[in-house]
Amino acid sequence: MRHLTLALDIMGGDNGPHIILSAAFKALNEFPQLHLIFCGDEGVISSWLKQHTSISLQRYSVVHCNQQVLMADNPASALRHKKDSSMACAIRHVQDGQADACVSAGNTGALLAMACSQLKTLAGVNRPALVSSLPTAKGRKVYLLDLGATVQCDAQTLLQNAVMGSVLAQEIAGIERPRVAILNVGEEQIKGPAAIKQANALLAANKQINYIGFVEGDDIFNDIADVIVTDGFSGNIALKSCEGLVKLLIEQIKRDAQRNLLSKIMAKLARPLLRRLYLRVNPDQYNGASLIGLRGIVVKSHGNASDEAFLYAIREAIQEANRQVPTKIKDKIENLLMERS
Amino acid sequence: MRHLTLALDIMGGDNGPHIILSAAFKALNEFPQLHLIFCGDEGVISSWLKQHTSISLQRYSVVHCNQQVLMADNPASALRHKKDSSMACAIRHVQDGQADACVSAGNTGALLAMACSQLKTLAGVNRPALVSSLPTAKGRKVYLLDLGATVQCDAQTLLQNAVMGSVLAQEIAGIERPRVAILNVGEEQIKGPAAIKQANALLAANKQINYIGFVEGDDIFNDIADVIVTDGFSGNIALKSCEGLVKLLIEQIKRDAQRNLLSKIMAKLARPLLRRLYLRVNPDQYNGASLIGLRGIVVKSHGNASDEAFLYAIREAIQEANRQVPTKIKDKIENLLMERS
């Protein structure tokens, strides 16, 4: 890994700055070439750093911010009135070229608004997309986008999302010709809303993309596709429904394991089995949704991320910076525009 | 239970008529007042019945059909050209009043088209909805609709779905004042597509419905709501994504249990724990999506249902017939129209 600088929004998220600082500390240990910029309340950051003196002063810098974007803040209002927030500060460092990427666990809507306003979308990209990966059969993963950046997508936006998801799968997952699909309510060509049918025709005619057609919700986990494209409304609902189900199952296992002495013993004996299952579906390891299509790298961590989960988001940002994902997307979108003209 | 007659589409589904006949046999044993009409190929049905002579001849009748709707059939073409199919036959028995309800595991699109055409929607209902229940925390269940009958719903259709879901939760789950929510990408009033915002305003102003506002995907399993309303596109994707995830987890547990001798022993010891978990998420027991809003009861079983799963669908049809769900929906929709006028 080359020298990299990441700007972190220390104040974002539900679990307090110490979670993010603890993840930062782990990241500095894991990546010797990493430099971090801590954007947030200097007092809070300093008092944490005093208890963790093993971090070399050369490895980080602190930028004090007077404001903090709250989870309940309206995105438009945050954009207008919170210019001195830790979130705006982290994005500004990417905009100025002082950081290669930024990571925030704060308010998604505000992060999207600020990132669009400060970084701007790449030429030829209508709207940025929120993308994340999910586990599939055979231990692989699938990129799902959009997850909520654009609630309703037209056919062109879906096509651009297919290109952008394809770049991520190539660069981050190392898949040579990623299989790209559109999420729909059936595999037949005649199904679905108009935008999806139009996007289907555009993708089928496109030579850049390895397009495989429509897939259904249960195919997300089937290892049928490497990239699944959908509008922000359905994508968000698919992702969150699955998260909700995983939470329900984990609670169920925990409660079952406490039913009686026999259950406790069984759970103890089966712990490695249950642990492997948990690790497989644990949303933490799929943490780090990226906001792509912008002139800079912005990674969004879950609001209630643990330090391990936030560390995954940092790793994602590092990978995208190393692979120069925005440049690759820019090139592919340019090819797309040329193909059309 | 009073005397009830159900018409079964014996030829629908991926797993062959014997699965459905085997479920029928179990249902006749479970419900002594039940009479069944088997719609399908007489030869196939007779040869099965010959091997199962313990069923009294008074408990069933066979109606021979020359045609069968295939899974790949286009709904419009099936509607036009397969009037002598087992599916059309089962629905016709409901239309004629010879059956109190019908159950099919066949092509969903064709079932929807035939049911709409033959049974018609109730007065005041724009479109029928496909509804099913999912497990939630605390061992309860939530009704989710629409699951794909109407890909894009306007505000009025969402409002009607809220009324219909509410009736199901009252009559089938026995909940006095079901909590009704709209599925959205955030809980704030300003979020989501126009139809959803309009439906939110309509529901907030409506006195019949115990409306609690917007919920997100992960709230499906939170026991926050008893009924969650969404358009057919998102509902289908939410349901199928969760089904896909459950399949992935079950496969994972099975594979893990076969890794080595230690894993095998662990899995054996933990079997009751894993079994409880499996039963909790096993889609079979949530099988039986109902097509509601029609002048008759139509229950759709999963195409690849096992006999146990098909039996759940039969039980659902019996419950709806016993509680006279269509009449209750008709009354509620009439109240809704009166409130507005």
Side-chain angles (χ1 to χ4, degrees):
Chain A
M1 172 183 141
R2 61 187 179 92
H3 277 276
L4 275 185
T5 301
L6 255 57
L8 304 187
D9 169 10
I10 300 297
M11 314 308 286
D14 306 328
N15 300 330
H18 61 284
I19 289 292
I20 296 165
L21 287 163
S22 159
F25 183 68
K26 289 181 181 175
L28 288 172
N29 280 330
E30 190 173 324
F31 302 98
Q33 311 279 60
L34 181 65
H35 182 86
L36 291 176
I37 302 169
F38 300 149
C39 305
D41 184 296
E42 200 170 21
V44 170
I45 298 171
S46 305
S47 81
W48 191 90
L49 287 168
K50 264 182 211 147
Q51 292 160 33
H52 299 80
T53 46
S54 65
I55 310 179
S56 151
L57 287 169
Q58 278 81 50
R59 303 288 308 280
Y60 66 87
S61 42
V62 177
V63 182
H64 176 69
C65 307
N66 283 311
Q67 291 178 303
Q68 180 182 346
V69 175
L70 304 176
M71 285 308 203
D73 278 348
N74 174 298
S77 139
L79 179 63
R80 202 169 313 136
H81 304 297
K82 298 217 166 162
K83 293 197 196 300
D84 194 20
S85 61
S86 53
M87 183 185 278
C89 173
I91 298 171
R92 205 178 306 119
H93 279 83
V94 177
Q95 184 189 4
D96 296 347
Q98 292 171 280
D100 299 283
C102 67
V103 186
S104 172
N107 181 324
T108 311
L111 186 70
L112 178 64
M114 286 182 179
C116 283
S117 158
Q118 291 181 226
L119 298 177
K120 312 279 184 250
T121 52
L122 291 162
V125 174
N126 297 351
R127 296 272 312 162
L130 198 61
V131 53
S132 193
S133 63
L134 292 168
T136 71
K138 302 182 200 161
R140 300 172 65 153
K141 60 182 180 177
V142 60
Y143 286 93
L144 184 65
L145 74 167
D146 175 45
L147 299 175
T150 306
V151 170
Q152 287 165 302
C153 294
D154 61 16
Q156 282 298 335
T157 306
L158 291 170
L159 173 65
Q160 290 163 12
N161 285 355
V163 173
M164 299 198 290
S166 212
V167 170
L168 265 194
Q170 269 172 332
E171 298 299 329
I172 307 296
I175 299 161
E176 207 177 325
R177 270 180 65 72
R179 299 159 297 171
V180 178
I182 295 179
L183 193 59
N184 200 350
V185 292
E187 285 163 28
E188 305 85 354
Q189 303 275 320
I190 52 148
K191 288 214 171 171
I196 277 184
K197 285 188 222 172
Q198 286 161 22
N200 176 57
L202 288 173
L203 277 164
N206 183 287
K207 290 180 198 84
Q208 274 194 73
I209 305 287
N210 179 14
Y211 179 59
I212 60 162
F214 292 142
V215 294
E216 296 190 59
D218 49 342
D219 295 322
I220 295 175
F221 303 98
N222 265 352
D223 192 42
I224 284 180
D226 303 303
V227 178
I228 298 180
V229 175
T230 181
D231 64 81
F233 193 79
S234 317
N236 183 284
I237 282 168
L239 181 76
K240 291 210 170 154
S241 303
C242 291
E243 281 175 7
L245 181 60
V246 168
K247 256 187 268 169
L248 177 72
L249 294 180
I250 291 171
E251 274 163 30
Q252 176 72 12
I253 290 177
K254 278 188 194 157
R255 212 181 14 247
D256 261 9
Q258 294 303 320
R259 275 161 75 108
N260 53 41
L261 186 63
L262 190 66
S263 299
K264 279 184 195 170
I265 296 169
M266 280 191 309
K268 199 102 182 166
L269 288 167
R271 186 178 281 175
L273 204 73
L274 295 175
R275 197 170 155 70
R276 263 203 300 280
L277 181 70
Y278 176 74
L279 283 178
R280 184 117 173 88
V281 296
N282 177 8
D284 277 10
Q285 67 171 308
Y286 301 96
N287 189 32
S290 304
L291 210 49
I292 58 170
L294 296 168
R295 297 166 199 250
I297 298 166
V298 179
V299 174
K300 166 70 177 76
S301 162
H302 247 292
N304 66 355
S306 63
D307 58 347
E308 274 301 324
F310 198 90
L311 181 58
Y312 274 104
I314 293 177
R315 288 196 193 114
E316 176 68 32
I318 290 172
Q319 273 195 294
E320 290 184 28
N322 270 332
R323 305 295 303 179
Q324 300 180 282
V325 166
T327 311
K328 304 274 167 62
I329 289 177
K330 184 177 146 281
D331 295 348
K332 276 261 191 185
I333 292 281
E334 269 172 15
N335 289 347
L336 190 76
L337 292 172
M338 274 167 59
E339 201 177 281
R340 233 185 299 159
S341 62
Chain B
M1 174 182 139
R2 61 189 178 91
H3 276 279
L4 275 185
T5 301
L6 255 56
L8 304 187
D9 169 10
I10 300 297
M11 312 308 285
D14 306 328
N15 300 329
H18 62 285
I19 289 292
I20 295 165
L21 287 163
S22 159
F25 183 69
K26 288 180 181 175
L28 289 173
N29 279 330
E30 190 175 323
F31 302 98
Q33 312 279 59
L34 182 65
H35 182 87
L36 292 177
I37 301 168
F38 299 148
C39 305
D41 184 295
E42 200 169 18
V44 171
I45 297 170
S46 305
S47 82
W48 191 91
L49 287 170
K50 265 182 211 145
Q51 292 160 34
H52 298 80
T53 46
S54 65
I55 309 180
S56 151
L57 286 169
Q58 277 81 50
R59 301 290 308 277
Y60 66 87
S61 43
V62 178
V63 181
H64 176 69
C65 308
N66 283 311
Q67 291 178 304
Q68 179 180 349
V69 175
L70 304 176
M71 284 310 203
D73 279 349
N74 175 299
S77 139
L79 180 64
R80 200 167 316 136
H81 304 296
K82 297 215 165 163
K83 294 198 197 296
D84 194 22
S85 61
S86 52
M87 184 185 278
C89 172
I91 298 171
R92 203 178 309 119
H93 278 83
V94 177
Q95 186 189 3
D96 298 345
Q98 291 171 281
D100 299 285
C102 68
V103 186
S104 172
N107 183 324
T108 310
L111 186 68
L112 179 64
M114 286 182 178
C116 283
S117 158
Q118 291 182 230
L119 297 178
K120 311 280 185 250
T121 52
L122 290 163
V125 174
N126 297 351
R127 297 270 311 160
L130 199 59
V131 53
S132 191
S133 63
L134 292 167
T136 71
K138 304 183 198 160
R140 300 171 66 152
K141 61 182 179 176
V142 60
Y143 286 93
L144 185 65
L145 74 165
D146 173 42
L147 299 176
T150 307
V151 170
Q152 288 164 301
C153 295
D154 60 15
Q156 282 300 333
T157 306
L158 291 170
L159 173 65
Q160 289 162 13
N161 286 355
V163 173
M164 298 196 292
S166 211
V167 170
L168 266 194
Q170 271 174 332
E171 299 299 329
I172 307 298
I175 299 162
E176 206 178 327
R177 268 180 67 71
R179 298 159 299 171
V180 178
I182 294 178
L183 194 59
N184 200 352
V185 292
E187 286 164 28
E188 305 83 355
Q189 303 277 319
I190 51 150
K191 290 214 170 169
I196 277 183
K197 285 189 224 173
Q198 285 161 20
N200 177 57
L202 289 174
L203 277 165
N206 183 288
K207 289 179 200 85
Q208 273 194 74
I209 304 288
N210 178 15
Y211 180 58
I212 60 162
F214 291 143
V215 295
E216 296 189 59
D218 50 343
D219 295 322
I220 295 175
F221 303 97
N222 265 351
D223 192 40
I224 284 180
D226 304 303
V227 177
I228 297 180
V229 175
T230 182
D231 63 83
F233 193 79
S234 317
N236 184 283
I237 282 168
L239 181 77
K240 290 208 171 155
S241 303
C242 291
E243 280 175 9
L245 182 61
V246 167
K247 258 188 265 168
L248 177 73
L249 294 180
I250 290 170
E251 275 163 29
Q252 176 71 12
I253 290 178
K254 278 189 195 157
R255 212 179 17 246
D256 260 10
Q258 294 303 320
R259 276 159 76 106
N260 53 42
L261 187 63
L262 190 64
S263 299
K264 279 184 197 169
I265 295 170
M266 280 191 308
K268 199 103 182 165
L269 287 168
R271 185 178 279 174
L273 206 70
L274 295 174
R275 200 173 152 65
R276 262 203 301 276
L277 182 69
Y278 175 75
L279 284 179
R280 183 117 174 89
V281 296
N282 176 11
D284 277 10
Q285 66 170 308
Y286 301 97
N287 188 34
S290 305
L291 211 48
I292 58 170
L294 296 168
R295 296 165 200 248
I297 297 165
V298 179
V299 173
K300 166 72 177 76
S301 163
H302 248 292
N304 67 354
S306 63
D307 58 347
E308 275 300 323
F310 198 90
L311 181 58
Y312 274 103
I314 293 178
R315 287 195 194 117
E316 177 67 32
I318 289 172
Q319 271 196 295
E320 289 184 28
N322 270 332
R323 305 294 303 180
Q324 298 180 282
V325 166
T327 311
K328 303 275 168 63
I329 289 178
K330 185 176 147 280
D331 294 346
K332 275 260 190 186
I333 293 280
E334 270 172 15
N335 289 347
L336 190 74
L337 293 172
M338 274 168 59
E339 202 177 281
R340 234 186 299 159
S341 60

